[in-house]
Amino acid sequence: MPVPVQFLGAWQGGLMIDYHGKARSVGKSQMHHNLYPVDTVLIKSEPLRIISQGVDMKGRSLRWLVEILKANHGYYLLGELYVDADKVVNVSKIETYHPVLWGGDTVKLHYAKAEDLREYLKLTAIRGEVMMQFWLRPGDEAVELSFYGGAGKVATPGVLEGMF
């Protein structure tokens, strides 16, 4: 039975797709791709509007980022953060696509979602920026980030001042 997916981009001679809510790579190389299709059919759908918003992560944790992403639309996170931590990378699967890669002092996000960051929420960036991409279908309401911290009042963190 066919599984509908959303195309995200290109990756290592294959495609990036949203497969059951997670970014995955599709292609014929078992070294570089998570999925190896037997048969595919491309069906044209309605155009999407993508709105990108950058967030300076200096001094911010990934937990903070996840908490502000109580958005009313699907999104993807892309960026590179430098953290004061050390972790050994599993080099056996380094070439295969992963939405979050952490090696030494660098965390790379590539079409990540909040659930992909579960293991990394305590990390705080020394420097770096995350681009939030919101994908809107025709007729979707405007993107609205939800910030909590007051009795019904919407508070904008200082790092985001001037973006709205």
Side-chain angles (χ1 to χ4, degrees):
M1 179 165 170
V3 177
V5 296
Q6 182 171 304
F7 171 73
L8 302 175
W11 173 263
Q12 299 288 348
L15 301 174
M16 294 285 311
I17 62 168
D18 187 307
Y19 179 73
H20 296 298
K22 295 184 182 243
R24 295 291 179 254
S25 63
V26 177
K28 56 186 175 181
S29 166
Q30 292 184 0
M31 177 182 258
H32 297 292
H33 301 104
N34 306 108
L35 305 171
Y36 323 106
V38 176
D39 190 24
T40 60
V41 176
L42 181 61
I43 300 171
K44 184 178 177 180
S45 64
E46 72 274 0
L48 298 175
R49 184 174 50 151
I50 299 174
I51 297 174
S52 297
Q53 182 173 355
V55 176
D56 181 3
M57 290 295 292
K58 182 178 180 181
R60 302 287 184 185
S61 70
L62 288 172
R63 180 177 310 283
W64 174 84
L65 181 64
V66 168
E67 287 174 359
I68 67 165
L69 280 171
K70 307 270 190 277
N72 60 348
H73 293 291
Y75 61 86
Y76 296 99
L77 304 171
L78 300 103
E80 187 168 276
L81 307 175
Y82 296 90
V83 296
D84 186 16
D86 190 25
K87 181 178 178 177
V88 177
V89 179
N90 179 359
V91 293
S92 65
K93 291 199 157 214
I94 197 157
E95 295 298 328
T96 307
Y97 173 76
H98 298 280
V100 181
L101 282 178
W102 179 15
D105 63 352
T106 307
V107 176
K108 294 181 181 181
L109 306 177
H110 191 254
Y111 292 100
K113 292 186 175 184
E115 57 268 17
D116 298 319
L117 301 176
R118 259 185 247 137
E119 297 177 42
Y120 313 97
L121 294 177
K122 292 182 180 180
L123 295 176
T124 300
I126 296 170
R127 62 184 159 88
E129 183 178 35
V130 170
M131 291 301 295
M132 299 182 292
Q133 284 189 351
F134 296 94
W135 293 47
L136 303 155
R137 296 191 182 320
D140 280 353
E141 295 177 26
V143 172
E144 188 177 312
L145 287 176
S146 299
F147 299 98
Y148 299 100
K153 183 180 176 186
V154 176
T156 304
V159 72
L160 297 177
E161 286 294 332
M163 291 186 176
F164 299 96

